């Protein structure tokens, strides 16, 4: 599959919570990490999603939020992954941040340069990358 998303995570659907307008899908990656997506009921049916089916979760880098060194708050976001910054490219307006979790999962985030500076991001620092379940797109093979 070719996609412009740098965050593409193949896995197996391990749980489905049906709703009246949207459904929640739990996708378990080979590493054991779980990604939660909230998709419309119509899309769920069109993709023929079901437990046990292979799927790919896609998340735009601009939808990734980063939190650094914060033990004071808990967040309602379902998708939270702690990792180390392994690459940081500073631009004039924003920065591209590559985070790697202990299992090897890589998460690409595009963050404003102000955010990069405010969080004092640098290679090797620990951050939490998070994204909301409605920002996850699901893809399946035809």
């Amino acid at each position: 599959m070719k996609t412009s998303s740098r965050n593409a995570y193949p896995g197996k659907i391990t749980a489905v919570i049906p709703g009246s307008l949207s459904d929640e899908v739990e996708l378990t990656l080979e590493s054991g990490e779980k990604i939660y997506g909230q998709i419309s009921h119509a899309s769920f049916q069109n993709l023929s999603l079901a437990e046990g089916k292979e799927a790919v979760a896609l998340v735009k880098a601009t939808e990734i939020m980063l939190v650094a060194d914060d033990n004071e708050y808990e967040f309602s976001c379902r998708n939270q992954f702690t990792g180390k910054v392994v690459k940081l490219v500073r631009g004039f307006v924003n920065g591209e941040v590559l985070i790697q979790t202990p299992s090897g999962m890589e998460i690409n985030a595009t963050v404003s340069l102000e955010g990069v500076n405010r969080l004092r991001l640098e290679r090797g620092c620990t951050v939490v990358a998070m994204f909301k379940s409605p920002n996850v797109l699901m893809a399946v093979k035809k």
Side-chain angles (χ1 to χ4, degrees):
M1 171 175 65
K2 290 184 180 181
T3 176
S4 63
S5 178
R6 292 172 284 167
N7 297 310
Y9 306 105
K12 186 177 285 192
I13 296 173
T14 50
V16 174
I17 300 171
S20 58
L21 299 176
S22 60
D23 300 319
E24 185 175 80
V25 176
E26 176 188 85
L27 185 75
T28 301
L29 310 182
E30 194 174 292
S31 64
E33 291 165 308
K34 297 178 187 297
I35 292 179
Y36 299 92
Q38 181 182 331
I39 63 173
S40 71
H41 188 64
S43 291
F44 184 87
Q45 290 178 324
N46 287 339
L47 294 173
S48 301
L49 298 180
E51 284 187 39
K53 187 167 187 171
E54 300 286 331
V56 178
L58 302 164
V59 186
K60 289 183 58 128
T62 53
E63 299 297 340
I64 307 293
M65 296 170 280
L66 299 180
V67 176
D69 193 34
D70 189 4
N71 297 322
E72 193 173 333
Y73 290 94
E74 289 188 31
F75 297 91
S76 62
C77 195
R78 294 278 318 264
N79 298 297
Q80 296 185 33
F81 303 94
T82 300
K84 300 258 186 215
V85 173
V86 294
K87 182 178 178 184
L88 173 62
V89 179
R90 293 174 188 267
F92 291 111
V93 177
N94 56 25
E96 292 182 357
V97 185
L98 179 61
I99 298 103
Q100 189 174 57
T101 68
S103 73
M105 177 183 182
E106 291 187 341
I107 302 166
N108 289 278
T110 300
V111 182
S112 70
L113 190 56
E114 178 185 338
V116 168
N117 293 333
R118 188 172 353 104
L119 295 174
R120 296 183 178 109
L121 296 180
E122 59 185 53
R123 270 186 92 169
C125 72
T126 300
V127 296
V128 177
M130 60 179 79
F131 49 92
K132 294 170 54 175
S133 58
N135 294 332
V136 175
L137 299 174
M138 290 287 176
V140 296
K141 288 186 180 180
K142 290 183 180 182

